[in-house]
């Protein structure tokens, strides 16, 4: 979900690649929430939701939100999304809503909980090149380019049924310091955190730095993630209905 300008008009858009696995594998109904009007109506939006899904985007998070100067002024920002998503995350956690967050969404979760980011992974010695090749075709950009090692003994390792998987990589920024309560679930070969969760919260929580939504139907690991998120949303809905029936 991100802001774009087209022919002099501002848009808030979500690409079909994000919505398709949410419908086909999570069996959920996606609802796009407008971020441009501020956070005053977050509670009303969340009252209609059974889970929160934060997608990637071409924009970077405002570094001022994690105490840094902007080292990438050439990159676009989406401060409307920043101002909406960070309080949205806190409200969703308080309500016990499942969270599935991808790429920028994972970085938002980290920043919302007090963590910070490497703004230029590509400028750090011994780090992999995590950015896509802008001159390549879309299929080449989203091809698997490196492996991630899953932390043994975690629920995520059980879900993936693997200790290591291959993933795509289309990001210039990444997690530097984990936010409060977050725990890593997987790392890239250079040590970068590629997946995380909130182990001390009861609800489902998963953030991944790669893009599992890309051609998810052909990737068993993506299907497992989206299915698990959908199951968590339905469990949350069932619990809400049970509570309502008591009154």
């Amino acid at each position: 979900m991100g802001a774009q300008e087209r022919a002099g008009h501002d848009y808030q858009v979500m690409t079909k690649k994000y919505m398709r696995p949410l419908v086909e594998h999570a069996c959920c109904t996606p609802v796009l929430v407008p971020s441009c009007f501020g956070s005053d109506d977050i509670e009303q939006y969340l009252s209609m939701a059974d889970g929160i899904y934060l997608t990637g985007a071409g924009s970077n998070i405002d570094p001022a939100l994690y105490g840094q100067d902007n080292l990438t002024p050439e990159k676009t920002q989406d401060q409307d999304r920043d101002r909406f998503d960070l309080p949205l995350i806190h409200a969703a956690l308080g309500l016990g809503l499942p969270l599935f967050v991808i790429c920028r969404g994972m970085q938002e979760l980290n920043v919302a909980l007090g963590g910070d980011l490497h703004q230029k992974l590509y400028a750090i010695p011994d780090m992999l090149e995590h950015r896509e090749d802008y001159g390549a075709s879309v299929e080449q950009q989203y091809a698997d380019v490196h492996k991630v090692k899953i932390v043994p003994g975690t629920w995520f390792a059980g879900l993936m049924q693997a200790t290591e998987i291959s993933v795509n990589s289309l990001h210039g920024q990444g997690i530097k310091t984990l936010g409060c309560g977050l725990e890593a679930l997987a790392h890239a070969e250079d040590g970068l955190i590629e997946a995380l969760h909130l182990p001390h919260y009861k609800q489902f929580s998963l953030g991944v730095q790669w893009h599992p939504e890309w051609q998810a139907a052909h990737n068993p690991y993506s299907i497992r993630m989206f299915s698990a998120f959908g199951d968590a949303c339905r469990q949350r809905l069932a619990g809400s209905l049970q509570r309502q029936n008591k009154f």
Side-chain angles (χ1 to χ4, degrees):
M1 183 176 69
Q4 294 185 11
E5 187 275 332
R6 298 179 183 178
H9 296 280
D10 292 330
Y11 285 76
Q12 180 177 328
V13 298
M14 180 184 289
T15 52
K16 291 181 180 179
K17 70 184 176 77
Y18 283 114
M19 293 184 284
R20 184 170 290 111
L22 200 63
V23 174
E24 294 179 352
H25 306 301
C27 299
C28 292
T29 301
V31 177
L32 179 63
V33 176
S35 60
C36 57
F37 301 116
S39 58
D40 291 346
D41 295 324
I42 280 178
E43 290 186 7
Q44 183 174 351
Y45 292 131
L46 292 182
S47 70
M48 300 182 285
D50 301 309
I52 299 299
Y53 176 57
L54 300 180
T55 69
S59 60
N60 286 337
I61 301 169
D62 182 358
L65 293 171
Y66 50 92
Q68 295 182 16
D69 294 330
N70 188 4
L71 303 181
T72 58
E74 72 281 2
K75 290 288 290 183
T76 59
Q77 292 187 356
D78 186 349
Q79 294 183 348
D80 284 343
R81 175 169 171 167
D82 294 340
R83 286 189 289 264
F84 187 87
D85 281 6
L86 269 60
L88 175 75
I89 287 167
H90 285 286
L93 289 174
L95 291 171
L97 286 164
L99 287 170
F100 186 22
V101 295
I102 294 172
C103 198
R104 188 193 205 272
M106 186 179 94
Q107 295 173 9
E108 288 172 345
L109 176 60
N110 191 56
V111 171
L113 295 177
D116 62 3
L117 305 175
H118 291 294
Q119 293 187 51
K120 292 184 174 182
L121 288 172
Y122 45 89
I124 301 174
D126 300 324
M127 278 286 184
L128 296 173
E129 174 56 88
H130 288 271
R131 296 173 295 177
E132 69 271 36
D133 179 356
Y134 290 105
S137 67
V138 174
E139 288 74 17
Q140 291 171 323
Q141 289 177 355
Y142 280 86
D144 292 344
V145 293
H146 69 76
K147 296 183 182 297
V148 299
K149 295 182 179 180
I150 300 172
V151 177
T154 59
W155 68 268
F156 190 58
L159 179 67
M160 294 293 96
Q161 301 175 29
T163 58
E164 186 178 86
I165 63 175
S166 296
V167 301
N168 53 42
S169 187
L170 297 94
H171 59 101
Q173 303 195 337
I175 288 179
K176 181 180 180 181
T177 307
L178 277 172
C180 182
L182 288 165
E183 184 176 272
L185 288 170
H187 298 85
E189 295 155 312
D190 56 11
L192 183 71
I193 295 171
E194 289 276 344
L196 50 72
H197 70 147
L198 284 157
H200 303 299
Y201 284 78
K202 293 181 179 180
Q203 69 259 44
F204 175 95
S205 59
L206 175 61
V208 295
Q209 185 59 73
W210 69 93
H211 287 266
E213 80 284 353
W214 174 253
Q215 296 186 349
H218 303 290
N219 189 316
Y221 304 115
S222 295
I223 291 173
R224 288 169 191 157
M225 283 185 274
F226 279 98
S227 296
F229 175 61
D231 289 343
C233 291
R234 283 180 286 279
Q235 290 171 7
R236 204 268 181 180
L237 173 61
S240 297
L241 294 174
Q242 285 180 345
R243 287 189 292 272
Q244 291 176 14
N245 291 337
K246 287 181 180 180
F247 297 98

